[in-house]
Amino acid sequence: RMLSSYKPKNDVKDSYKILELEEGCSLDDVRNSYRNLAKKYHPDSSSGMADSKAFIRVEEAYRVVLSDLTGKQKSDPGEEEEDQFKSKSLQHRHYLSFEGVGIGTPSQREKQYMQFRVDRATEQVLEYRQQRLESRYAGSDLSRAQDVRQSKKVKITQAVERLVEDLIQESMAKGDFDNLSGKGKPLQKFSDSPHIDPMTHNLNRILIDNGYQPEWILLQKEIRETIERLRKSIVAARRKLGEPMTLSEQKQWGRICEQFAEDIRKLNKRVDDFNLVVPILSRQMVHFSTDKEILRARKTYEAVREKVSDSDTKENEGEEGK
């Protein structure tokens, strides 16, 4: 349309009205008004007032106002004013495509935009590689210190192994191994399963014979002993208070229950530790409930009290019979 002999139908006054401007406004006001109206009426915009006919009228009015302003301006040989009124690409293209990159026809702008994306991707790759190198060199000191510690551990282990081997050889030279029980006899088979390594099974048997127990078994035993001790202690405390309880005894019972709840909370932490190390899923334990344990203690106390009362009544009946 710019290269053809197309002439707009609007006059200057109507063009100013279409752009919602007054005569004598600046070139920046004209451009800003055109940009806002283009965003509002352009068919490709997401505006709810998009209208192709209204956008065509706005574009024609914009060209008429631009030609009117350029005719009113005085001619200046300086390059700044010539560039200021030079015909530019349509403003709505800068926000609808290509991120405002490039000039010329749409195909030329597309090529320029593709080159811009390639350059930007190359810069991002270089920045990423630089960050990786910086992080690698920053962590080199820490890795070097870890390597030093690991090498020290290896040296200590090798030194201990050499010392043990020297002691064994020295004892064999002295004859300390000549009179051992079972000398010359084959080793006893500990398992008939072909899926178990004999060396591993032998080591496990030696550990078991010397009282070794896995951590989860020790934790399980500790948890059971602790809950039994807590249950006995709270039942004994309830029996000590008697029935019925006075106001001071009720306060004392409340303090006992609070301490019991704190002990149960600590015990549940041990249960969590046990569940993390137990190798069998079906062996995992659930948390102990403070309310259920206190209710259980009350029932136990009532049962013990009934037994005591029954035994007392039987003794009284026996004495009366005598």
Side-chain angles (χ1 to χ4, degrees), residues 297-310:
R298 289 178 179 175
K299 291 181 179 179
T300 305
Y301 167 70
E302 291 175 357
V304 172
R305 188 182 172 192
E306 289 177 359
K307 288 182 180 179
V308 172
S309 62
D310 291 341

Side-chain angles (χ1 to χ4, degrees), residues 58-72:
V58 169
E59 188 176 359
E60 292 177 353
Y62 175 64
R63 297 186 180 280
V64 171
V65 171
L66 279 182
S67 61
D68 181 63
L69 288 177
T70 53
K72 291 180 179 179

Side-chain angles (χ1 to χ4, degrees), residues 15-69:
S15 299
Y16 277 104
K17 290 182 181 180
I18 292 173
L19 294 178
E20 300 176 358
L21 296 172
E22 296 180 358
E23 295 185 8
C25 60
S26 63
L27 185 61
D28 294 334
D29 295 337
V30 175
R31 290 175 178 172
N32 293 332
S33 178
Y34 171 71
R35 188 183 297 110
N36 295 331
L37 293 174
K39 291 179 181 180
K40 185 176 180 180
Y41 295 114
H42 196 279
D44 296 335
S45 66
S46 58
S47 174
M49 301 180 65
D51 187 2
S52 59
K53 295 181 179 179
F55 176 73
I56 292 173
R57 290 196 300 270
V58 169
E59 188 176 359
E60 292 177 353
Y62 175 64
R63 297 186 180 280
V64 171
V65 171
L66 279 182
S67 61
D68 181 63
L69 288 177

Side-chain angles (χ1 to χ4, degrees), residues 88-272:
K88 296 184 178 181
S89 60
L90 298 178
Q91 296 292 325
H92 67 279
R93 296 183 182 273
H94 291 284
Y95 77 93
L96 291 178
S97 61
F98 307 129
E99 301 180 14
V101 176
I103 57 174
T105 61
S107 60
Q108 293 174 351
R109 293 187 63 210
E110 184 178 4
K111 292 180 181 179
Q112 296 171 10
Y113 178 64
M114 294 300 294
Q115 184 63 36
F116 168 74
R117 292 185 61 186
V118 170
D119 296 339
R120 184 171 59 184
T122 305
E123 291 178 359
Q124 292 177 354
V125 170
L126 292 176
E127 290 178 359
Y128 173 72
R129 290 180 178 177
Q130 183 179 358
Q131 292 176 359
R132 286 192 60 184
L133 290 175
E134 290 177 355
S135 61
R136 184 181 302 175
Y137 286 120
S140 61
D141 297 336
L142 180 60
S143 61
R144 191 180 297 109
Q146 292 177 354
D147 294 339
V148 171
R149 289 195 296 269
Q150 187 67 23
S151 62
K152 288 182 179 179
K153 289 182 181 179
V154 172
K155 289 180 181 178
I156 293 172
T157 305
Q158 292 176 354
V160 172
E161 290 178 354
R162 287 196 299 269
L163 177 60
V164 172
E165 186 66 27
D166 293 340
L167 292 174
I168 292 173
Q169 294 295 333
E170 184 179 354
S171 299
M172 291 176 65
K174 291 180 180 180
D176 294 337
F177 297 155
D178 294 340
N179 298 323
L180 294 176
S181 60
K183 180 182 178 181
K185 297 180 181 180
L187 292 174
Q188 183 181 0
K189 298 295 183 181
F190 305 110
S191 176
D192 297 330
S193 177
H195 305 289
I196 301 177
D197 182 17
M199 180 61 68
T200 303
H201 191 80
N202 293 343
L203 292 175
N204 291 335
R205 187 190 68 84
I206 293 171
L207 292 173
I208 293 171
D209 293 342
N210 288 274
Y212 171 78
Q213 291 181 348
E215 182 183 2
W216 66 275
I217 292 179
L218 297 176
L219 279 174
Q220 187 180 31
K221 183 179 179 181
E222 178 186 353
I223 291 170
R224 289 177 178 175
E225 292 177 352
T226 304
I227 191 62
E228 289 298 328
R229 177 176 55 81
L230 292 176
R231 287 171 179 173
K232 290 180 180 179
S233 64
I234 193 170
V235 172
R238 183 64 186 87
R239 290 182 62 184
K240 186 176 180 180
L241 293 175
E243 187 71 25
M245 291 187 294
T246 62
L247 183 60
S248 60
E249 290 177 344
Q250 290 179 0
K251 292 181 179 179
Q252 186 178 356
W253 173 247
R255 290 193 295 269
I256 292 172
C257 292
E258 290 177 0
Q259 182 61 38
F260 181 76
E262 180 66 20
D263 295 335
I264 290 294
R265 187 182 63 81
K266 294 180 181 178
L267 183 61
N268 287 332
K269 287 185 178 180
R270 300 296 293 168
V271 171
D272 293 336

